[in-house]
């Protein structure tokens, strides 16, 4: 099978390309660096032409309300090019619980991306993942003030990027789900506890303080960011990933 992996040079995309090619498929990465612009449409028709499957792993450059316009424009352009190119399966990566955190602009934008795909002309699959382990440093940085990190007690179930990539590649190579598969790491932590575990393991001298109003994840109430009952549980534990 031939795959056009849009955003195929990034953290997840590069691994998805590697996995698909290792399985004997032809997966081609596309991104701004390869001359494909999903906002202007430059290079898009050529990128998806002849592909059996399009995997869209691009992300908005911002997490504010401008992300809504990014996902609307990019999905409209990608779906139009994919339809013209005869693509039979369109895959995106989304977030577990994304439709349950309406106070976050970025989450509302990802919901919009899902809705555009569902209403579009191409059979589809949506992979929803919990927060990536690789993004923990960025999460800490967002609420750092000097030597203090403020984090809420929001339950988080982190997943390794490699595990996400394995499932995305598997789903992309299969029949369209016309639905959603949820994936999550094996362990649930309050975010503040996860922060303390991270700084201790890294020998980081910063101190983590519990503040249930701090950062973007304060907007997620209850267990909405943890695995639902039907989720696939990935094998990599956060403590093992840290080591």
């Amino acid at each position: 099978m031939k795959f056009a992996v849009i955003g195929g040079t990034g953290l997840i995309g590069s691994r998805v390309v590697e996995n698909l090619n290792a399985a004997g498929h032809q997966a081609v990465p596309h991104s701004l660096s390869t001359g494909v612009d999903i906002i202007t449409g430059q290079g898009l028709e050529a990128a998806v032409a002849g592909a059996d499957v399009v995997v869209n792993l691009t992300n908005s450059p911002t997490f504010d309300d401008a992300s809504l316009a990014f996902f609307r424009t990019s999905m409209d352009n990608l779906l139009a090019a994919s339809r013209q190119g005869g693509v039979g399966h369109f895959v995106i990566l989304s977030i577990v619980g994304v439709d349950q955190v309406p106070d976050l602009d970025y989450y509302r934008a990802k919901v919009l991306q899902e809705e555009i795909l569902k209403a579009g002309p191409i059979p589809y699959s949506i992979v929803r993942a919990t927060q990536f382990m690789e993004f923990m440093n960025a999460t800490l940085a967002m609420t750092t003030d000097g030597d203090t990190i403020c984090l809420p007690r929001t339950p988080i179930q982190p997943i390794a990027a490699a595990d996400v990539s394995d499932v995305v590649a598997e789903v992309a190579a299969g029949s369209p789900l016309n639905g959603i598969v949820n994936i999550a790491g094996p362990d649930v932590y309050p975010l503040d506890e996860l922060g303390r575990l991270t700084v201790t393991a890294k020998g980081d001298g910063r101190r983590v303080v519990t503040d249930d109003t701090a950062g973007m994840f304060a907007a997620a109430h209850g267990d909405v960011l943890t695995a639902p009952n039907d989720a696939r549980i990935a094998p990599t534990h956060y403590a093992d990933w840290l080591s």
Side-chain angles (χ1 to χ4, degrees), residues 105-204:
D105 291 329
Y106 179 71
Y107 276 46
R108 288 192 293 110
K110 290 295 289 185
V111 169
L112 174 64
Q113 183 190 32
E114 291 187 1
E115 290 175 344
I116 291 171
L117 181 60
K118 292 174 184 176
I122 300 172
Y124 69 90
S125 299
I126 298 170
V127 179
R128 286 184 176 180
T130 51
Q131 282 64 45
F132 299 168
M133 295 176 184
E134 285 77 1
F135 291 168
M136 192 59 195
N137 285 339
T139 299
L140 300 182
M142 284 191 294
T143 58
T144 294
D145 184 6
D147 292 330
T148 300
I149 304 168
C150 295
L151 293 173
R153 289 171 289 184
T154 307
I156 299 291
Q157 195 165 346
I159 186 169
D163 292 338
V164 175
S165 303
D166 288 348
V167 175
V168 171
E170 176 191 325
V171 169
S175 299
L177 301 173
N178 291 316
I180 297 168
V181 59
N182 291 283
I183 57 174
D187 305 306
V188 178
Y189 300 88
L191 184 55
D192 58 342
E193 180 184 327
L194 191 63
R196 293 185 185 98
L197 178 65
T198 303
V199 298
T200 298
K202 294 179 177 293
D204 188 323

Side-chain angles (χ1 to χ4, degrees), residues 2-6 30 36 38 41 43-56 74-92 117 120-124:
K2 183 178 179 181
F3 297 80
V5 183
I6 315 299
H30 301 284
V36 175
I38 58 174
L44 196 50
E45 288 186 6
V48 303
D52 300 295
V53 184
V54 166
V55 184
N56 178 20
S74 62
M75 286 298 291
D76 286 347
N77 288 341
L78 279 163
L79 286 171
S82 296
R83 183 180 186 182
Q84 182 174 336
V87 172
H89 186 190
F90 197 110
V91 181
I92 64 168
L117 181 60
I122 300 172
Y124 69 90

Side-chain angles (χ1 to χ4, degrees), residues 26-59:
Q26 180 187 358
V28 181
H30 301 284
S31 66
L32 276 172
S33 64
T34 69
V36 175
D37 189 326
I38 58 174
I39 298 301
T40 67
Q42 178 183 350
L44 196 50
E45 288 186 6
V48 303
D52 300 295
V53 184
V54 166
V55 184
N56 178 20
L57 300 171
T58 59
N59 202 6

